[in-house]
Amino acid sequence: MSFVGLVVLAATLAGAGLFLSPWMLRSELWRATVTPLASIIGSGFLVLGPILAHAFGMWATTAMAALCIAAWGFGAAIRYNIAYAEPLPEGEDVLVDRLETFSGAALAGAYIVSVAYYLNLFGAFGVSLTPFNGAFEGRALTSAMLIGLLALGWFKGFTAMEKVEMLTVAIKLAVIAGLVAGLAVYFFDRAGAGALKFSAPHLGPWASFTLCLGLIVTVQGFETARYIGGAHTAPVRIRAMRLAQGLAVVIYLVYTVFLSFSFSVDPGALSETAIIDMMAVVAPLLPFLLVAAALAAQASAAIADAGGAGGLGAELTGGRLSPKASYAALVAAGLALTWGSDIFTIISYASRAFAFYYALQATIACRLALRRDERPKAMIFGLIAALGLAAAILGAPAEGKAG
């Protein structure tokens, strides 16, 4: 095994040991942080790097920083709502109550699209290292997973997956540690040889802006901290969301710097699994680790969001729509998206859906800030809401080949 391969293996094992250590598992803050962190740094992390390197070239890190700043703003609105919307008695502010209802409906819709997004990535990565690496085969695997998801939810429910959540999260974060370590060695080796890439952007200013809006789903996931109130107090969840977003920002920026200056992405080679071929150059071990992490991450994320969509559907309809019926609708929508769109379009759909949810949450935060006579904060949350609405309307897909 090469030196880079040894570094990748050592970093992966060290990461697994850390994330599964008794100290980490006993820490309430870490347990609260795991859910949003795992949602933020999913397999979208693997897709995002090549997209940014292709579209922005040497300015990819600037685009990544812009995405992280937008995500931090949306997160700030949700943290404000954890602190001030949750304790508000129902009926005290009719506008907030209605916005919360609309927000729940938007989140349910976002979950439906995100399940299709997760499982299409599952299908693409699942066939990527096999002789059957094609768009049709990936979609067929995705379809089988969607039907299996329906069977699991219909007959067993999704609670059985809770026991393996910490394991899948540890695997994913450990592999990301190995990926970043391997990229670091490769980057500094290229720098020493004077062989770093300084690629020009492929997009103009407006196309760059709308593409970033269409990639919000790849830095999304921090909002899950708002919905684990049964397990953690509001102050713990607020701290956990800040920690999760802070760690994600560091990981994303370091990863983007190493990737964008080490590789140039040919437009014809941009696909949802482009990272596999790129990382094979760094270390032959990395593609297998990335596929294992992607499969574990996407399966658990899809199950979690499917469960959330089912519960929200029943709650929003007052029980008239059962969770089982919600699962069936979700799978039908997932199959339609799988066979009617490519993965880059599905990513933009998911980004738009989550952006609309964030716009509603920021509007709630703006309303509460006005109630509390915090006008500067109200103005900031209003701007954040406008950004979310713009993303919901204008978010554009990356241009690449699926499969």
Side-chain angles (χ1 to χ4, degrees):
M1 184 179 292
S2 67
F3 172 70
V4 180
L6 289 173
V7 170
V8 168
L9 184 59
T12 302
L13 293 175
L18 174 63
F19 298 126
L20 290 173
S21 67
W23 177 83
M24 295 291 274
L25 297 177
R26 285 195 301 265
S27 168
E28 182 185 4
L29 178 60
W30 178 248
R31 291 199 309 273
T33 301
V34 159
T35 299
L37 181 61
S39 296
I40 297 167
I41 308 180
S43 294
F45 170 85
L46 303 178
V47 176
L48 183 59
I51 290 176
L52 294 182
H54 159 68
F56 298 99
M58 60 183 170
W59 298 103
T61 308
T62 303
M64 187 70 256
L67 275 172
C68 290
I69 290 169
W72 190 270
F74 294 135
I78 293 175
R79 288 191 291 274
Y80 195 83
N81 292 340
I82 291 175
Y84 300 111
E86 289 183 6
L88 201 66
E90 188 175 354
E92 183 168 321
D93 191 315
V94 175
L95 178 58
V96 169
D97 289 344
R98 287 179 178 174
L99 286 170
E100 286 284 19
T101 300
F102 290 143
S103 182
L107 184 60
Y111 278 155
I112 289 172
V113 184
S114 69
V115 169
Y117 157 57
Y118 293 140
L119 291 183
N120 271 270
L121 282 181
F122 183 100
F125 278 94
V127 301
S128 61
L129 296 179
T130 74
F132 311 103
N133 183 18
F136 176 84
E137 291 82 355
R139 285 171 172 153
L141 179 56
T142 296
S143 300
M145 286 296 295
L146 281 164
I147 293 168
L149 189 70
L150 175 60
L152 177 65
W154 194 278
F155 296 109
K156 297 291 185 181
F158 294 106
T159 55
M161 285 302 296
E162 292 175 357
K163 297 178 181 179
V164 299
E165 181 181 12
M166 291 297 290
L167 178 60
T168 58
V169 168
I171 291 172
K172 179 168 60 178
L173 294 179
V175 170
I176 286 172
L179 166 64
V180 172
L183 271 174
V185 174
Y186 187 78
F187 171 86
F188 288 112
D189 181 64
R190 301 283 293 177
L196 292 180
K197 305 289 185 179
F198 295 91
S199 304
H202 284 89
L203 300 179
W206 179 251
S208 298
F209 176 66
T210 56
L211 174 60
C212 282
L213 295 181
L215 291 173
I216 284 175
V217 73
T218 58
V219 292
Q220 158 274 331
F222 45 85
E223 74 285 343
T224 53
R226 187 171 181 193
Y227 303 101
I228 54 175
H232 305 284
T233 64
V236 169
R237 285 181 287 135
I238 290 170
R239 288 175 60 205
M241 193 196 295
R242 284 200 187 101
L243 178 58
Q245 286 198 276
L247 289 171
V249 167
V250 172
I251 292 169
Y252 268 118
L253 291 179
V254 171
Y255 163 66
T256 306
V257 167
F258 290 158
L259 188 75
S260 61
F261 287 104
S262 298
F263 296 90
S264 56
V265 181
D266 179 64
L270 180 63
S271 73
E272 63 270 42
T273 57
I275 192 70
I276 298 295
D277 293 334
M278 295 164 75
M279 292 307 98
V281 176
V282 176
L285 175 65
L286 264 176
F288 298 97
L289 291 176
L290 292 178
V291 168
L295 297 184
Q298 299 314 97
S300 61
I303 289 169
D305 278 11
L312 276 170
E315 180 182 332
L316 291 168
T317 60
R320 289 188 294 275
L321 184 67
S322 69
K324 289 183 177 181
S326 297
Y327 303 148
L330 180 149
V331 169
L335 289 170
L337 285 167
T338 297
W339 291 99
S341 304
D342 62 58
I343 184 62
F344 296 112
T345 302
I346 295 173
I347 288 173
S348 72
Y349 288 160
S351 290
R352 288 183 175 198
F354 276 105
F356 183 57
Y357 163 75
Y358 293 144
L360 290 171
Q361 285 290 307
T363 303
I364 292 169
C366 180
R367 168 70 174 181
L368 293 173
L370 287 173
R371 280 175 55 101
R372 293 173 53 80
D373 200 27
E374 296 177 331
R375 295 190 180 278
K377 286 186 178 180
M379 184 179 298
I380 292 171
F381 290 139
L383 292 173
I384 291 170
L387 177 62
L389 188 59
I393 296 170
L394 300 173
E399 295 183 2
K401 63 185 183 70

